[in-house]
Amino acid sequence: MAYSKQVIDHYENPRNVGSFAKDDPSIGTGLVGAPSCGDVMKLQIKVSSDGIIEDAKFKTFGCGSAIASSSLTTEMLKGLNLNEALEIKNMEIVEELGLPPVKIHCSVLAEDAIKAAIKDYKEKNSL
Amino acid sequence: MTDNPKPIYLDYQATTPLDPRVLEAMLPHFQEKFGNPHSRNHFYGWEAEESTEKARGQIASLIGADPREIIFTSGATESNNLALKGIVDFYGHQKNHIITCVTEHKCILDTCRHLEQKGLKVTYLPVQANGIIDLNQLENTITNQTLLVSIMAVNNEIGVIQPLAEIGKICRRNGVFFHTDAAQAVGKIPLDMDKMNIDLLSISGHKVYGPKGIGALYVRRKPRVRVMAQVNGGGQERGMRSGTLSPALCVGLGEACSIAAQEMIQESARLLNLRTRFYDRILKELPEVYLNGDLEQRIPGNLNLSFAYVEGEGLMMGIKNLAVSSGSACTSASLEPSYVLRALGVSEDLAHTSLRLGFGRFTTEEEIEIAATSIIEAVKKLRSMSPLWEMAQEGIDIKNIQWAGH
């Protein structure tokens, strides 16, 4: 399968790879997917006291499209408030990366990861 | 993309390049020697027939057979279809049971499914963790209704060699026909039809540095084995497979077999040396790499490795300078990880991390070193961004986590 330029760019130069301390109360962590399905995404957001996502990091086990979807997601998240972040739809990722139908599940996983990270942050801070 | 040099070819189980010596032998048959080998009445026909019969002899000689036992087909898929359906059509009214194995190529498994729909009973033997069948289990599975045992010689994904001579002995002792799909074995390991008690054997041209679009089926004459034709017509190939032969393709397969017969021993030693260097380097520089399939009972030109915590398709994207294949789900149309690896008991998460590396006649030492370097670098990079690797380093067992499947 031929990959789009955008996927190759994110795969070769992934943005925001890494981890935050997951016990830090300003951090929300989402871990989605399953090793047996061939993709696992860990997405972390760092939320400022006024509720803005000021930083995001990821680590992903998966194909090039899964890595690119998570890399792009970290970029999209920065500067958004939590409600805006929850509005991100997987189809935006599909369009931005030019994912073929067989790779749409990668974008769905990224959307799930955002929701999981925000849920974790809210639970930690009793919001 | 087009300015990049071509990737290093390490997928010799998918196909092999045509040996230039084979092409050389084929070329006259595309032009001046254009005759129909079945024309009995003039020079052009005789000339073409001489070529196809010489090729038949070259193929027979490689596997210790008589030329009259070689039936040309379009490839191993057709040979396998002809062997299984042909035997069932001829003898199916006497016995109605076939034994095969779960790691067979799709063309055997799919043909067996087809025969099951027609009322035949098929037993799919499991394999042991090393990919080899259990001979006791085979013998215990044979009943007085068993017509045929079809077990592949060499697996296309993991390169393991089944104990053909032992299987042959069991089959002969029990009066059961023995067919083997030898697409990956011909020219790679010594084969002898009589010593191994093989009744039917499928051959592929393009896995042995010959052309695509040609194969052969060995059908034993003494004691005689009969197969019902699946392609009807002019009665060529002793009535078992009608249709005009392509002398160019036949000559190509013959020449390929002849070269293999001469070079197999030295070539095997060379490949084993290359593979050992490659494998040793990988193991030295990367932890948590697992071999799929037996190391010893394996053709020298194959390795199948799982690089834990790195998904296969993602890895392949990081080694674009190499042409390899993966058992990862993402590389298959079905989104299921390799059924062969699953049959060995490889867990699904490790099956997703596998690469198949195929080395062959034109693989050089330099290519092996480049490949090892590329794979080591890519695995290190991808592990540094793998959440599973991170957990493993923290001592978390990923098997204890409640994953939400999707």
Side-chain angles (χ1 to χ4, degrees):
Chain A
M1 188 192 334
Y3 295 97
S4 69
K5 271 195 192 129
Q6 302 90 298
V7 169
I8 293 171
D9 180 42
H10 276 280
Y11 175 86
E12 287 179 350
N13 312 292
R15 281 55 142 185
N16 311 307
V17 175
S19 299
F20 294 121
K22 57 178 181 291
D23 299 330
D24 184 329
S26 68
I27 303 298
T29 301
L31 183 66
V32 296
S36 61
C37 301
D39 32 31
V40 174
M41 263 179 212
K42 187 184 81 167
L43 178 70
Q44 292 185 302
I45 51 171
K46 183 176 169 61
V47 185
S48 67
S49 51
D50 50 355
I52 303 294
I53 297 173
E54 51 182 23
D55 204 354
K57 286 195 187 297
F58 83 94
K59 284 202 174 188
T60 290
F61 162 84
C63 63
S65 302
I67 290 170
S69 296
S70 19
S71 169
L72 172 67
T73 301
T74 58
E75 283 198 316
M76 291 166 81
L77 285 171
K78 285 191 204 180
L80 301 184
N81 67 35
L82 298 181
N83 287 334
E84 287 164 340
L86 285 169
E87 291 296 303
I88 294 176
K89 291 280 170 282
N90 79 295
M91 287 313 288
E92 295 171 50
I93 297 166
V94 171
E95 279 163 34
E96 180 70 28
L97 293 178
L99 296 181
V102 69
K103 293 296 181 190
I104 287 178
H105 69 275
C106 298
S107 69
V108 173
L109 205 60
E111 188 187 318
D112 290 350
I114 298 172
K115 297 200 158 73
I118 291 174
K119 183 166 174 264
D120 179 60
Y121 172 79
K122 285 184 171 172
E123 279 173 3
K124 258 190 206 167
N125 293 278
S126 315
L127 295 174
Chain B
M1 293 283 272
T2 46
D3 350 322
N4 292 340
K6 278 195 187 174
I8 295 171
Y9 189 74
L10 294 175
D11 203 8
Y12 276 78
Q13 277 80 54
T15 191
T16 55
L18 193 71
D19 190 298
R21 294 168 288 182
V22 172
L23 177 64
E24 190 73 20
M26 290 170 66
L27 285 174
H29 298 275
F30 285 112
Q31 287 240 280
E32 64 264 34
K33 296 188 179 181
F34 62 84
N36 182 333
H38 315 296
S39 296
R40 311 314 294 254
N41 306 313
H42 54 66
F43 170 81
Y44 295 92
W46 302 330
E47 180 184 60
E49 189 188 25
E50 196 185 314
S51 300
T52 58
E53 294 322 293
K54 179 184 167 201
R56 207 185 293 280
Q58 289 168 315
I59 299 162
S61 156
L62 177 62
I63 60 169
D66 184 286
R68 290 169 296 180
E69 296 176 311
I70 303 298
I71 302 301
F72 284 111
T73 67
S74 62
T77 292
E78 187 191 333
S79 299
N80 286 335
N81 269 267
L82 175 56
L84 269 55
K85 293 175 184 169
I87 283 282
V88 168
D89 286 349
F90 208 95
Y91 300 99
H93 62 285
Q94 299 169 5
K95 292 175 170 183
N96 68 351
H97 179 221
I98 289 182
I99 300 171
T100 184
C101 130
V102 289
T103 54
E104 291 290 317
H105 192 274
K106 282 280 163 77
C107 64
I108 291 287
L109 296 176
D110 196 45
T111 302
C112 284
R113 295 277 180 231
H114 170 84
L115 291 170
E116 277 183 296
Q117 280 167 4
K118 297 180 88 175
L120 222 82
K121 292 199 176 69
V122 180
T123 303
Y124 300 88
L125 288 179
V127 292
Q128 305 168 88
N130 64 357
I132 310 286
I133 63 161
D134 177 338
L135 292 169
N136 288 328
Q137 192 173 13
L138 169 66
E139 185 138 30
N140 293 336
T141 308
I142 294 175
T143 71
N144 61 5
Q145 278 303 304
T146 306
L147 173 60
L148 174 74
V149 168
S150 179
I151 301 289
M152 70 200 322
V154 169
N155 184 269
N156 50 304
E157 286 191 35
I158 53 176
V160 301
I161 305 166
Q162 297 290 352
L164 299 176
E166 288 79 359
I167 299 170
K169 228 179 266 170
I170 291 172
C171 290
R172 188 58 60 92
R173 189 161 64 224
N174 288 281
V176 175
F177 294 126
F178 175 29
H179 166 253
T180 183
D181 171 5
Q184 301 284 352
V186 171
K188 315 279 161 57
I189 58 169
L191 292 167
D192 188 300
M193 299 305 95
D194 283 341
K195 280 188 195 149
M196 294 174 159
N197 288 311
I198 293 169
D199 296 309
L200 301 129
L201 175 136
S202 300
I203 300 172
S204 166
H206 75 104
K207 310 281 194 200
V208 62
Y209 308 95
K212 293 169 181 60
I214 182 114
L217 179 67
Y218 159 82
V219 184
R220 174 174 292 282
R221 278 168 62 85
K222 284 180 190 163
R224 194 162 184 201
V225 176
R226 309 287 301 269
V227 295
M228 187 79 85
Q230 303 297 309
V231 177
N232 303 105
Q236 292 92 343
E237 300 301 281
R238 303 181 173 271
M240 284 183 260
R241 204 276 193 177
S242 289
T244 300
L245 290 176
S246 163
L249 295 179
C250 295
V251 164
L253 177 55
E255 188 66 20
C257 287
S258 163
I259 294 170
Q262 290 160 36
E263 301 183 354
M264 190 185 332
I265 294 170
Q266 306 92 292
E267 175 65 2
S268 290
R270 189 187 77 91
L271 284 176
L272 186 61
N273 181 38
L274 285 184
R275 187 184 78 188
T276 305
R277 282 175 70 132
F278 176 87
Y279 187 41
D280 287 351
R281 226 189 115 195
I282 295 280
L283 289 186
K284 207 175 116 210
E285 299 189 39
L286 290 174
E288 300 221 44
V289 177
Y290 303 99
L291 176 74
N292 299 311
D294 200 273
L295 182 60
E296 304 301 326
Q297 291 166 273
R298 188 187 202 100
I299 53 165
N302 171 279
L303 268 186
N304 189 308
L305 299 172
S306 283
F307 298 88
Y309 314 115
V310 173
E311 197 275 331
E313 188 188 346
L315 176 55
M316 281 169 69
M317 205 172 154
I319 47 171
K320 274 185 293 193
N321 58 331
L322 311 178
V324 299
S325 79
S326 170
S328 147
C330 286
T331 59
S332 74
S334 63
L335 290 180
E336 289 290 325
S338 153
Y339 67 91
V340 172
L341 298 186
R342 297 290 293 129
L344 306 188
V346 174
S347 63
E348 278 192 36
D349 50 320
L350 271 182
H352 282 289
T353 69
S354 75
L355 280 192
R356 177 181 73 179
L357 297 136
F359 312 111
R361 189 175 288 167
F362 305 103
T363 307
T364 65
E365 219 173 284
E366 191 198 355
E367 287 179 327
I368 290 287
E369 294 298 338
I370 294 171
T373 304
S374 302
I375 290 172
I376 290 162
E377 276 174 16
V379 169
K380 283 184 176 165
K381 180 186 170 191
L382 289 167
R383 280 183 176 170
S384 76
M385 51 198 284
S386 165
L388 304 178
W389 175 252
E390 185 180 72
M391 288 176 192
Q393 301 313 102
E394 290 167 0
I396 300 168
D397 186 349
I398 61 167
K399 291 193 169 57
N400 295 336
I401 294 184
Q402 284 284 328
W403 299 100
H406 56 282

